Amino acid sequence: MKKPTIITQRLTTTTLIEVVAADLDTTPAQVRDTIIATFDAIARAAVAGHDVSVTNFGTWFAYRTAARQARNPQNGEPVPMPAHNKTRFRVSPHLAAAVRRGDRTVTIRKAPQGAKAAGR
């Protein structure tokens, strides 16, 4: 398997497409639609109120907040806040540990069957 491309700058949609294309040894034009379709599917699921879980990466949680009274910080007057939908992202323990270690070659691929037992 090819070594993953090391990320050396902020990852935008454009640079993400370029990195994935380099990792797959293909052109950015061939990867673009797949990347955009992936994020579109995540967005549609969140808008519909569904959670999205990507193993070894993280989970997007969609939830609804209740209506409440807030306060205007400038004058202290109450401001009604209507109920609304929100989303939150929780990083997986696998990815969080890789970030703490500074592992620049981290992958979210699952380990092969028996890999944990063999490593003991």
Side-chain angles (χ1 to χ4, degrees):
M1 187 169 108
K2 184 179 181 234
K3 288 180 81 173
T5 303
I6 300 297
I7 311 297
T8 59
Q9 61 186 3
R10 181 176 182 215
L11 200 61
T12 64
T13 304
T14 302
T15 55
L16 174 64
I17 290 167
E18 291 168 356
V19 167
V20 171
D23 284 354
L24 296 177
D25 201 24
T26 187
T27 65
Q30 292 173 314
V31 173
R32 183 183 185 285
D33 289 339
T34 303
I35 297 288
I36 298 301
T38 301
F39 285 114
D40 283 349
I42 292 169
R44 285 193 312 270
V47 167
H50 302 292
D51 296 344
V52 178
S53 182
V54 178
T55 303
N56 290 332
F57 185 76
T59 303
W60 286 267
F61 296 97
Y63 63 101
R64 185 155 181 86
T65 62
R68 64 184 181 91
Q69 282 289 339
R71 295 240 174 243
N72 181 333
Q74 293 179 339
N75 58 23
E77 291 181 13
V79 177
M81 295 289 296
H84 58 278
N85 296 325
K86 294 179 95 174
T87 189
R88 171 177 47 209
F89 180 76
R90 182 182 303 153
V91 176
S92 76
H94 171 78
L95 182 56
V99 170
R100 279 192 299 276
R101 287 192 313 268
D103 182 359
R104 293 177 63 136
T105 61
V106 66
T107 181
I108 66 166
R109 290 182 177 93
K110 289 185 175 182
Q113 288 286 341
K116 290 182 180 177
R120 289 182 183 169

